[in-house]
Amino acid sequence: METAIQAAERTALYRTMVRIRAFENAAEAASQGGVSAYGQQAAGAAKVRGPLHLSTGQEAVPAGVCAHLTPADYLTSTHRGHGHTLAKGADLVRMMCELFGKATGFNGGKGGSMHIADFSVGMLGANGVVAAGLPIAVGAAHAQKLLKKDAITVCFFGDGAINRGPFLESLNWARVYGLPVLFVCEDNRWSATTASGPMTAGDGASARAQAMDIASTQVDGNDVFAVHAAAGRLIAEVRAGSGPRLLHALTYRVKGHVSVDPAAYRDPAELAAALETDPIAHARALLAADVDTSVLDAIENAAHDEVEAALAAADAAPWPDASAAFSDVQSTGEGQWR
Ligand SMILES: Cc1ncc(C[n+]2csc(CCOP(=O)(O)OP(=O)(O)O)c2C)c(N)n1
């Protein structure tokens, strides 16, 4: 019986990763042919305008962590947030609609990939400002503590974010006030076009947390079962009132910084080596020991069908009305509009 439950949980982790990969592959294809971040005007009309920050190859981290969360728990994300958002339970169709700029998207089509939020599942927002999710997460966790709520907050950020001030400020505040927050560093070894290692003093996120008396664990971020186990231990401690914890997940950014970045600055051998540790292929190989491959194939086919349906729905959805340009924006008062 125990094996059956474990197999079901492990299969669910696989499904989460496969859905994220399918979503991002489709979104990337739908973004091709448009106007790039670097100003190149390509022929053809892309359905998704602008560049996308893809988390291809990093799916094990959100899948393994978010499996331990409930809709009442909060989550803050980064500019590379599709995987976090889907793993937290956000609706895949509404996400695709947002990327298409349609009125039925999470932000009415006005936010796009880097500003997706879904408060109904506790997803407080992607964020285009590096490290900006950290103080938001700490604020959410502090509110939960003051309100005597049981829910916790999970905060995803990249290895580049640990070299910004908000990382230090947020960990310090969380430790001083004993807040119920799990910090998760998705260490994909790159910060835009810069390799993070040579730019980072000391041993990185995990070591920095320990220097602030926050217990931390380093984990193979391409092994979803290892992430799940490590996150489970840390989240159990946070729920029990330990105060903050940090999970340092070592993974790899397979794509360029954004979808239009060919990443010509990095050694192709580094990418080739990383592809050998693809988290989905790795999980599939492990699962094949006790789950029929037809079950795994069915999961992949279902994800493909779900994404195809989302593409069709987003294509058919209405554009925002022009009047919506003035809603959901901060009012600066009468006569301030230029
Ligand atoms: C405060 C700030 N500085 C610079 C940028 C430009 N920028 C966007 S993503 C990025 C790299 C972030 O690296 P990391 O935190 O490791 O996340 P990853 O992109 O690897 O997921 C930079 C420098 C920004 N968005 N915000």
Side-chain angles (χ1 to χ4, degrees):
M1 186 60 183
E2 199 193 2
T3 310
I5 291 169
Q6 285 181 354
E9 282 183 344
R10 294 162 78 216
T11 306
L13 294 173
Y14 185 73
R15 179 181 296 110
T16 304
M17 291 197 294
V18 165
R19 286 180 80 234
I20 295 169
R21 178 76 57 92
F23 178 88
E24 289 203 311
N25 281 349
E28 181 182 23
S31 75
Q32 281 158 359
V35 181
S36 85
Y38 305 131
Q40 302 134 358
Q41 178 88 45
K47 301 284 186 184
V48 174
R49 306 293 175 91
L52 295 171
H53 298 82
L54 302 163
S55 65
T56 316
Q58 302 179 206
E59 298 89 346
V61 186
V65 171
C66 293
H68 298 286
L69 303 181
T70 74
D73 294 320
Y74 288 134
L75 181 149
T76 64
S77 180
T78 67
H79 51 285
R80 205 175 297 286
H82 305 139
H84 311 147
T85 311
L86 284 172
K88 189 67 170 68
D91 184 75
L92 188 147
V93 174
R94 287 192 71 193
M95 274 185 67
M96 193 66 84
C97 289
E98 187 58 40
L99 264 53
F100 273 58
K102 297 300 184 78
T104 46
F106 278 120
N107 305 66
K110 296 189 294 180
S113 167
M114 271 192 287
H115 301 99
I116 292 177
D118 180 7
F119 289 4
S120 73
V121 296
M123 201 296 188
L124 299 181
N127 204 311
V129 181
V130 172
L134 283 132
I136 295 172
V138 168
H142 207 149
Q144 286 164 322
K145 181 162 182 156
L146 291 173
L147 293 168
K148 302 195 190 314
K149 297 260 177 76
D150 291 333
I152 67 162
T153 302
V154 166
C155 171
F156 288 100
F157 54 94
D159 40 292
I162 73 167
N163 291 330
R164 290 209 62 240
F167 174 76
L168 172 71
E169 297 172 30
S170 300
L171 265 65
N172 184 62
W173 192 275
R175 177 66 187 87
V176 165
Y177 288 97
L179 301 180
V181 56
L182 176 69
F183 298 105
V184 182
C185 180
E186 275 182 310
D187 186 345
N188 65 13
R189 296 178 50 189
W190 284 89
S191 306
T193 56
T194 305
S196 300
M199 294 301 296
T200 304
D203 290 333
S206 186
R208 289 187 188 180
Q210 285 169 20
M212 298 173 77
D213 195 28
I214 294 176
S216 65
T217 301
Q218 208 171 69
V219 70
D220 176 356
N222 279 17
D223 180 344
V224 73
F225 307 122
V227 173
H228 183 257
R233 280 193 297 276
L234 294 174
I235 287 175
E237 289 171 10
V238 172
R239 288 200 195 282
S242 68
R245 293 286 184 262
L246 185 141
L247 182 65
H248 184 175
L250 300 167
T251 179
Y252 191 76
R253 194 196 75 200
V254 166
K255 302 276 178 168
H257 175 57
V258 285
S259 46
V260 293
D261 168 19
Y265 44 80
R266 76 179 168 193
D267 183 353
E270 182 182 299
L271 173 62
L275 290 174
E276 295 292 317
T277 66
D278 180 77
I280 294 180
H282 180 63
R284 190 178 164 107
L286 290 176
L287 275 170
D290 55 3
V291 178
D292 201 291
T293 51
S294 65
V295 173
L296 304 176
D297 290 343
I299 287 172
E300 289 179 16
N301 292 335
H304 177 264
D305 292 349
E306 186 184 7
V307 165
E308 285 297 315
L311 287 170
D315 211 14
W319 293 104
D321 192 79
S323 63
F326 299 99
S327 61
D328 304 322
V329 292
Q330 187 177 10
S331 169
T332 52
E334 197 71 26
Q336 294 293 311
W337 188 258
R338 284 179 292 164

